[in-house]
Amino acid sequence: MSASIIRIEGVSKRYRTVGGHFGGGRAEVHEVKDVSLEIRAGQAFGLVGESGSGKSTLARMVMGLETATSGHIEVDGIRLPVHNRGDAMVLRKTIQIVFQDPYAALDPMMKIGASIEEPLVNLTVMEAAGRRVMALSLLHDVGLPERVYDAYPFQLSGGERQRVCIARALAPRPRIVVCDEPVSSLDKSIQKQVIDLLESLRRKHGLTYFFISHDLAVINRLCDEVAVMYRGSVIEQGARDQVLFRPRQDYTRRLVDAARYFQEGIPRLSA
Ligand code: ADP
Ligand code: MG
């Protein structure tokens, strides 16, 4: 069994201080509450939970984009938060993210080639010619033709844009990719293609995925271990088959039960 590559220990994030009624007591709102997870190298680790349960907040903390209010996070041996530019660059090379909305994630004024090369400009000493070769090979990896290099985002479909975002995330050769609802904005038919692509890229490059989705069918396809988040806390965690097919918690059971009515791939639970 491989060593853990992401270690999350007792992590909480509090955003808001809410005033009580009649100027009474004030309470901090926990967005992420005492979460502990370990993700092993090479794993596809799934995080499920309804909207607002704190999944993206946890993802941003693991990316180092936000600081935990308490607890510890370690990513491939780097303790977060990082305190200098060198560590920040190492972290950025190690862990990349693919977001839900491929329309918001790409600069509309920037050609696709330049977007894919951007992390290479910032994180490597590669020359322009080398970056171009790399970008073209990444386009090939994500199943897009070379001519996309000179295209603008508006010329691409949502699925093509998400492929570009995946290529850009892979550019610095990360060990870990956080996928935050990467297919949720895409049509069902396109979702399957992008999921297949993510799965083959994971195998090809030996990547670790921290894969976030509210869609249990997607998690079922891709992940070997699953954690369930509810109102900021991880309430259940274990091997995919255990969590999805033999859930221990009522909440997970309800989640799975609701999913089976409109999704493929989730068998009816035994009573
Ligand atoms: P999920 O990704 O599971 O839908 P989020 O992590 O986006 O959930 O949000 C969890 C909670 O944190 C929500 O209640 C949301 O309103 C709150 N939240 C998220 N980001 C911020 C922020 N920057 N400032 C204040 N509250 C936030
Ligand atoms: Mg989210």
Side-chain angles (χ1 to χ4, degrees):
M1 193 168 280
S2 343
S4 62
I5 194 166
I6 296 178
R7 206 185 287 273
I8 300 169
E9 275 173 27
V11 164
S12 296
K13 178 76 183 179
R14 294 179 284 268
Y15 280 119
R16 287 171 285 174
T17 307
V18 185
H21 292 295
F22 311 111
R26 294 167 81 81
E28 278 181 322
V29 175
H30 278 73
E31 312 300 2
V32 170
K33 212 155 65 185
D34 196 19
V35 167
S36 296
L37 296 175
E38 275 196 32
I39 301 176
R40 294 187 307 280
Q43 209 177 14
F45 189 99
L47 183 65
V48 296
E50 60 197 284
S51 177
S53 56
K55 305 183 298 295
S56 294
T57 303
L58 188 62
R60 287 196 301 271
M61 288 192 284
V62 168
M63 291 299 298
L65 300 173
E66 267 184 59
T67 309
T69 313
S70 57
H72 299 291
I73 300 177
E74 214 178 276
V75 175
D76 199 18
I78 307 164
R79 183 69 167 265
L80 303 190
V82 293
H83 290 297
N84 61 66
R85 200 175 136 69
D87 284 350
M89 283 177 73
V90 174
L91 182 69
R92 204 38 72 241
K93 280 191 210 177
T94 302
I95 185 166
Q96 284 280 325
I97 187 164
V98 177
F99 291 105
Q100 173 171 354
D101 183 0
Y103 287 86
L106 293 174
D107 183 341
M109 306 296 282
M110 206 186 257
K111 284 185 175 180
I112 298 304
S115 276
I116 295 174
E117 288 176 29
E118 204 175 31
L120 299 173
V121 173
N122 296 329
L123 299 171
T124 74
V125 295
M126 286 175 83
E127 305 283 349
R131 291 198 303 263
R132 187 188 155 85
V133 169
M134 178 108 176
L136 290 172
S137 123
L138 285 160
L139 281 173
H140 176 79
D141 278 358
V142 298
L144 292 172
E146 279 199 2
R147 64 185 145 75
V148 168
Y149 185 91
D150 286 311
Y152 285 97
F154 79 88
Q155 296 172 295
L156 304 182
S157 69
E160 289 166 337
R161 285 176 201 226
Q162 197 59 305
R163 286 173 192 265
V164 169
C165 293
I166 293 166
R168 183 177 57 182
L170 295 181
R173 294 271 173 255
R175 295 191 69 197
I176 311 163
V177 181
V178 177
C179 302
D180 190 354
E181 308 265 10
V183 298
S184 299
S185 70
L186 306 176
D187 292 344
K188 270 275 180 270
S189 59
I190 309 294
Q191 283 193 5
K192 186 180 178 315
Q193 295 168 14
V194 174
I195 291 293
D196 288 347
L197 173 68
L198 284 168
E199 175 60 12
S200 76
L201 289 170
R202 190 174 76 82
R203 286 175 195 280
K204 183 173 171 191
H205 298 292
L207 297 165
T208 304
Y209 282 170
F210 183 25
F211 196 95
I212 297 168
S213 181
H214 66 273
D215 186 335
L216 294 183
V218 170
I219 294 279
N220 184 36
R221 279 278 315 283
L222 215 59
C223 300
D224 42 35
E225 193 168 341
V226 181
V228 181
M229 222 168 159
Y230 176 67
R231 294 189 179 171
S233 299
V234 169
I235 55 141
E236 176 154 12
Q237 183 187 347
R240 185 250 332 259
D241 288 353
Q242 185 260 300
V243 174
L244 295 188
F245 304 126
R246 296 185 300 280
R248 296 196 174 103
Q249 300 295 324
D250 278 350
Y251 176 74
T252 312
R253 182 170 278 271
R254 286 203 298 276
L255 210 62
V256 173
D257 241 0
R260 77 186 157 82
Y261 288 111
F262 53 87
Q263 287 166 341
E264 301 163 35
I266 308 285
R268 177 180 284 269
L269 287 176
S270 50

